[in-house]
Amino acid sequence: MQKKNLAAVVASLFIVPVAAHADVTIYGFMSGGIESSKATGNGTASKEYSSRTRVVDHNSRIGFKGWEDLGNGTKAIWQVESSLRNFENGGTNDKGQTATFGTRNTFIGIDNGDFGKVLLGQNDSAYKMFTGSGNSALGTDVMINTTADNFGASSVNSRGEARLANSIHWFSPNWAGFKLGASWGVDEARTNGTDAKRISLGLGYTWGALNLATAWDKQYDKGVAANTTTASVNSGSNISFYSIAASYKFDSGTFIGGNYEWGNFDQIGGGQVKQDDWQIALGQDFGAASIKLAYGQLGALKNVGAGVNGDDFKAKQWILGGTYNLSKSTQLLAYATKITNNAKASANFANNPIYSTGTSLDAGNDPQAFGIGMKVSF
């Protein structure tokens, strides 16, 4: 009798969790590859990154999400998404950072068919979700998640996008092709009495294969050092980004798209500098294969002081890539990319950046890489 009762208890330990969490979805992907990379051109050998072979992780992740029907078209929703980056290096990147639980979009919220979604926690800003790398329908980040990804705060394009911790977000449903989004990242630190909050707004329109989007992002109480875009907390200074984007995919499988972005940076000592960037993206499908090409430029720093050459802050990047779908969940990929930085520019790869000195890329170095890899989704 005791043996039977013990068996029943053990069995229940396996049965109950499955029943309680039947609505949970597990998702993600593992993606990695091998590449040759370097960053030279600075003119000082000790500050360059010599050519070498790297085994790289292409932004792998795992996520858990679920929902509960509350009635009247409303659901309670939640998501926990964690980075699996740097699996090739035991989980630690070149900066010594490690992947921990809930590092990516992680939130609780409400989803209503008429009002939309309200999320509370950590999530990509509306700016990123509409005109940045978070908009998969737009598709202008042609080799997203790979080393050739060129969208990010330290990259050539979409420098205003971010993932906001301690934030609240609203994303509308589809209203006749239109969608709206808003994000508010609160400042809980309040360093020296400042309020370095961040607000993002986005607007998108989809009509068949046409995608249009615009967005705005503002960082409060953030300023930059004179004649740079290096930001730090500073009362009364602000950093603002504006962007527009568009893409279209023809029935023939031909894709064309582009982005334009400009930023205004209040200098801590007074005055304001400005800088823009743009990109054109092209692609062509051939059955299970796709070929992709992109070219982007980071413009001159404008309104600089006497004796400073704004053209020294220019950068440009070209990307040639391709994918081949072996199945619905397994994909082969290849890419070649190069960033050319002028004397005071240090634009870097959005993923798997190169650090020529310690944990930074010295200005004037030109990161480049070509590689092959594989992605398995689940």
Side-chain angles (χ1 to χ4, degrees), residues 6-261:
L6 179 60
V9 170
V10 172
S12 68
L13 293 177
F14 292 92
I15 295 172
V16 172
V18 173
H21 301 290
D23 62 334
V24 176
T25 299
I26 302 174
Y27 67 94
F29 63 80
M30 294 288 288
S31 181
I34 184 169
E35 69 179 27
S36 175
S37 58
K38 66 178 181 178
T40 58
N42 179 271
T44 304
S46 62
K47 295 183 178 181
E48 294 182 335
Y49 185 91
S50 59
S51 179
R52 67 199 67 182
T53 299
R54 300 197 298 179
V55 175
V56 291
D57 171 22
H58 291 145
N59 221 5
S60 303
R61 67 199 64 170
I62 186 171
F64 307 85
K65 61 183 178 181
W67 58 274
E68 180 184 8
D69 191 348
L70 302 179
N72 299 317
T74 302
K75 300 176 182 178
I77 58 176
W78 63 270
Q79 177 175 296
V80 179
E81 189 171 291
S82 304
S83 174
L84 296 176
R85 283 183 55 77
N86 309 299
F87 69 84
E88 88 289 355
N89 199 34
T92 304
N93 66 12
D94 292 343
K95 280 190 173 182
Q97 300 167 326
T98 58
T100 56
F101 197 68
T103 48
R104 295 182 56 82
N105 292 344
T106 300
F107 54 79
I108 57 171
I110 295 292
D111 184 2
N112 178 272
D114 297 322
F115 179 76
K117 296 180 181 179
V118 177
L119 312 179
L120 181 68
Q122 175 169 274
N123 199 74
D124 292 341
S125 69
Y127 191 97
K128 181 177 180 179
M129 293 294 288
F130 280 82
T131 60
S133 60
N135 189 342
S136 58
L138 185 65
T140 50
D141 190 356
V142 293
M143 294 303 293
I144 187 170
N145 296 316
T146 70
T147 301
D149 189 335
N150 62 326
F151 278 36
S154 299
S155 301
V156 174
N157 300 108
S158 195
R159 294 161 69 87
E161 67 175 60
R163 177 170 296 124
L164 304 181
N166 305 318
S167 57
I168 184 169
H169 308 257
W170 169 70
F171 297 103
S172 78
N174 189 322
W175 292 323
F178 288 94
K179 288 185 177 181
L180 298 171
S183 302
W184 175 29
V186 305
D187 178 18
E188 297 184 3
R190 295 297 185 99
T191 304
N192 296 325
T194 58
D195 183 10
K197 60 182 177 286
R198 188 163 183 167
I199 296 176
S200 285
L201 301 175
L203 168 65
Y205 177 70
T206 301
W207 182 37
L210 175 67
N211 291 280
L212 304 173
T214 186
W216 168 81
D217 180 277
K218 187 171 185 177
Q219 303 171 56
Y220 292 82
D221 283 356
K222 281 284 187 71
V224 299
N227 304 315
T228 74
T229 57
T230 304
S232 60
V233 176
N234 183 70
S235 180
S237 300
N238 301 305
I239 298 174
S240 299
F241 286 95
Y242 308 82
S243 62
I244 55 175
S247 68
Y248 188 84
K249 191 167 187 178
F250 296 88
D251 292 340
S252 61
T254 303
F255 167 86
I256 184 170
N259 297 69
Y260 180 71
E261 176 185 59

Side-chain angles (χ1 to χ4, degrees), residues 230-316:
T230 304
S232 60
V233 176
N234 183 70
S235 180
S237 300
N238 301 305
I239 298 174
S240 299
F241 286 95
Y242 308 82
S243 62
I244 55 175
S247 68
Y248 188 84
K249 191 167 187 178
F250 296 88
D251 292 340
S252 61
T254 303
F255 167 86
I256 184 170
N259 297 69
Y260 180 71
E261 176 185 59
W262 61 99
N264 299 328
F265 308 84
D266 289 348
Q267 297 180 121
I268 292 176
Q272 184 184 77
V273 291
K274 303 173 183 287
Q275 191 174 36
D276 64 359
D277 61 79
W278 60 267
Q279 175 194 253
I280 294 294
L282 301 170
Q284 179 65 54
D285 293 340
F286 300 95
S290 295
I291 301 296
K292 305 175 182 183
L293 176 68
Y295 178 80
Q297 286 192 0
L298 179 63
L301 194 63
K302 300 177 178 65
N303 299 338
V304 293
V308 179
N309 186 354
D311 287 344
D312 285 344
F313 297 86
K314 286 183 174 181
K316 58 186 177 183

Side-chain angles (χ1 to χ4, degrees), residues 37-51 312 314 338-347 354 356-357 361-368:
S37 58
K38 66 178 181 178
T40 58
N42 179 271
T44 304
S46 62
K47 295 183 178 181
E48 294 182 335
Y49 185 91
S50 59
S51 179
D312 285 344
K314 286 183 174 181
K338 181 178 180 179
I339 299 174
T340 302
N341 283 309
N342 284 12
K344 293 185 178 180
S346 55
I354 289 175
S356 53
T357 302
L361 176 70
D362 287 277
N365 279 329
D366 301 334
Q368 54 186 296

